[in-house]
Amino acid sequence: MKIIRTLNYQDMSRKAADILAAQVIQKEDSILGLATGSTMLGLYKELASRYREGDLDFSEIKTVNLDEYLGLHPSNPQSYRHYMDENLFSHINIPVENTYLPSGMTDDTDEECGAYDVLIESLGGIDLQLLGLGLDGHIGFNEPGEAFIKESHCILLDASTIKANARFFEDEDEVPRHALTMGMGAIMKAKSVLLCVNGKAKASILKQVLCGPITPRVPGSILQLHPNLIVVADEEALSEI
Ligand code: GLP
């Protein structure tokens, strides 16, 4: 595990962008695993600006996102498809058909999740997986539970996650109760993993993730077993380590 300590959010965003940019430059047809949430906004802005400056080419890149809310249409501003289009894809030259997320509009979540795993396999797996961290230690939407779940699956979101994510919705009641998420198998099989964490509120959970016992009660703790984990976190997030 490599931990890169940054001064603040902006510094974290730039350093994480450096790592992603290096991946895109070194392997122009990389498969990138992408994440959503407020943590990634600065990083995606950086990537867009580097693209505009002519430093990056995404024309052969393919992306697979970690998760999507169940029941939200791509046109819904709170859907992760909308988030990705708005914050990254519309600002770079990635062909939209090269960008994949699980479909939140499916009638059959088992089939959709199975197909998502087949898709990731057929792409040859993920070269670099970007991750944020939930306040309860979730990665993607792999919530705390009795066991690590290997496959993509449909999950009932924890009350704390619904509360945390309510800030993006008009009302807490509007936050979908279920989501589809990539499982731990595809994440752990990624050639490298880039975990970005910022802010004091995540200091305690980041300590548990990186230094505590490896347990499905703290889903991100499984990353301790990843052979190529890079953590880019600001001083506040690392303040308890
Ligand atoms: C969300 C997403 C995660 C994200 C995490 C942190 O619920 N499913 O992929 O990494 O929670 O979000 P934020 O960056 O807004 O703190």
Side-chain angles (χ1 to χ4, degrees), residues 36-39 66-67 80 132-134 138 140-141 165 167-168 202:
T36 51
S38 46
T39 309
L66 282 167
D67 43 22
Y80 284 164
L133 184 64
H138 71 234
F141 268 135
N165 289 4
R167 68 190 192 278
F168 300 110
K202 292 191 180 159

Side-chain angles (χ1 to χ4, degrees), residues 51-227:
Y51 165 71
R52 273 196 307 275
E53 284 158 20
D55 293 333
L56 293 175
D57 175 15
F58 292 89
S59 59
E60 289 180 51
I61 296 289
K62 293 195 173 83
T63 64
V64 282
N65 260 77
L66 282 167
D67 43 22
E68 179 59 283
Y69 287 116
L70 188 63
L72 294 196
H73 190 270
S75 63
N76 186 312
Q78 309 308 337
S79 74
Y80 284 164
R81 163 53 79 181
H82 193 271
Y83 170 106
M84 290 309 302
D85 288 345
E86 195 76 355
N87 294 301
L88 184 64
F89 299 151
S90 64
H91 302 284
I92 60 176
N93 67 332
I94 191 163
V96 68
E97 63 273 18
N98 286 1
T99 66
Y100 301 96
L101 286 90
S103 168
M105 294 309 290
T106 181
D107 292 333
D108 186 336
T109 56
D110 285 348
E111 189 184 297
E112 177 65 20
C113 289
Y116 204 60
D117 284 335
V118 169
L119 166 80
I120 296 169
E121 281 286 314
S122 74
L123 294 172
I126 297 163
D127 289 304
L128 189 155
Q129 177 64 55
L130 179 61
L131 293 176
L133 184 64
L135 285 170
D136 62 359
H138 71 234
I139 51 177
F141 268 135
N142 288 272
E143 293 280 34
E146 297 299 318
F148 294 113
I149 302 177
K150 187 177 168 200
E151 293 84 13
S152 294
H153 55 281
C154 180
I155 184 108
L156 176 65
L157 298 175
D158 275 18
S160 65
T161 300
I162 292 170
K163 206 174 170 52
N165 289 4
R167 68 190 192 278
F168 300 110
F169 293 78
E170 299 240 312
D171 194 276
E172 195 173 313
D173 290 343
E174 285 182 20
V175 186
R177 270 31 189 175
H178 292 86
L180 305 181
T181 183
M182 199 186 277
M184 292 301 197
I187 294 172
M188 290 302 284
K189 269 202 253 166
K191 293 193 186 80
S192 57
V193 171
L194 172 59
L195 174 67
C196 299
V197 189
N198 72 285
K200 193 125 200 73
K202 292 191 180 159
S204 154
I205 193 66
L206 184 59
K207 184 182 181 185
Q208 293 177 58
V209 163
L210 299 183
C211 311
I214 298 169
T215 164
R217 299 256 162 235
V218 182
S221 63
I222 198 173
L223 297 172
Q224 292 178 36
L225 299 174
H226 196 283

